[in-house]
Amino acid sequence: MDWLAPVDAYCERTGPEYWSEPVNALTNLAFLLAALVMARRLRGPGMATGRVLAGVLFVIGVGSWLFHTHANGLTGLMDVLPILTFILIYVFAATRDYLGARPWVAALVTAGFIPYAAVTVPLFAQVPGLGSSASYAPVPVLILAYAVLLRNRLPRVARGLAIGAGLLTLSLTFRTLDQASCAVLPIGTHFMWHILNATMLAWMIEVWRRHRIG
């Protein structure tokens, strides 16, 4: 595989040039802004995990910026790996802090995300029109599963997680509609994935923060 070969995956891109996706590139500022806002809200003791999540959120914005300017296989990895890292850290934090599991149990549950994704992503890939968004589709399902588990024990957290799952589903809808929208909207809809996903990730950190401070 040529990791540096140009990738044309989104409606807005019309060539290999750096600024071929200006809207998709610039809307990655939403991730950076969200990370900075949350970093300010995570000051004080007991917020270390939240600060790590905010740091990863910042890296998500940088990785996505690189992919939407230098679109190739290598920057594609820089785009998706920070997102996976955020998911794994949040699963660990949710299992430890919401469900009250010991760290080693939370680590095992976190490791279980990999086989969970390996089973569910191919199933979602069978959904017509979902395309590459199938890779992310298991995540709102998992968030809703935690919300259901916590609905009696931690109803406020459960509501927060349900809102997060809704935001992610909406952002995935815009991501999925990108190519189909080219004929009527030349810039596509992928930029809304950035804006809504940045909002959703910041919200998920905020749900954790509110739980920590009681």
Side-chain angles (χ1 to χ4, degrees):
M1 176 178 179
D2 183 0
W3 289 95
L4 299 180
V7 172
D8 184 356
Y10 302 105
C11 182
E12 187 181 19
R13 179 164 289 277
T14 57
E17 297 81 16
Y18 186 92
W19 282 115
S20 188
E21 294 182 63
V23 178
N24 286 346
L26 290 173
T27 48
N28 286 299
L29 293 172
F31 292 106
L32 308 187
L33 178 61
L36 293 174
V37 168
M38 291 313 304
R40 290 179 60 86
R41 295 179 62 78
L42 291 161
R43 294 173 177 174
M47 295 289 134
T49 301
R51 287 192 289 270
V52 171
L53 286 168
V56 176
L57 178 53
F58 192 93
V59 175
I60 288 172
V62 174
S64 185
W65 167 278
L66 290 172
F67 181 55
H68 289 289
T69 51
H70 305 277
N72 56 53
L74 182 59
T75 56
L77 280 180
M78 296 178 186
D79 181 29
V80 300
L81 289 180
I83 297 174
L84 176 61
T85 300
F86 188 101
I87 293 169
L88 294 176
I89 295 173
Y90 202 95
V91 169
F92 178 86
T95 306
R96 181 194 63 187
D97 300 330
Y98 301 157
L99 297 179
R102 294 182 178 182
W104 68 269
V105 175
L108 286 177
V109 173
T110 302
F113 177 80
I114 304 302
Y116 164 74
V119 170
T120 54
V121 169
L123 295 177
F124 279 107
Q126 302 303 311
V127 178
L130 194 55
S132 62
S133 294
S135 300
Y136 298 101
V139 179
V141 175
L142 183 61
I143 295 172
L144 281 176
Y146 273 78
V148 170
L149 287 173
L150 295 165
R151 67 189 185 281
N152 295 322
R153 180 179 176 181
L154 296 171
R156 187 175 66 171
V157 171
R159 286 193 296 271
L161 294 179
I163 291 170
L167 283 171
L168 181 54
T169 301
L170 181 60
S171 65
L172 277 172
T173 300
F174 281 106
R175 188 182 191 278
T176 303
L177 291 174
D178 180 70
Q179 290 292 336
S181 67
C182 288
V184 293
L185 188 64
I187 64 171
T189 58
H190 188 80
F191 71 97
M192 288 298 299
W193 154 259
H194 292 162
I195 295 170
L196 289 170
N197 206 31
T199 303
M200 175 266 176
L201 294 175
W203 171 250
M204 294 295 285
I205 298 173
E206 177 65 12
V207 171
W208 178 87
R209 187 193 72 85
R210 292 181 183 181
H211 173 69
R212 291 290 290 178
I213 64 176

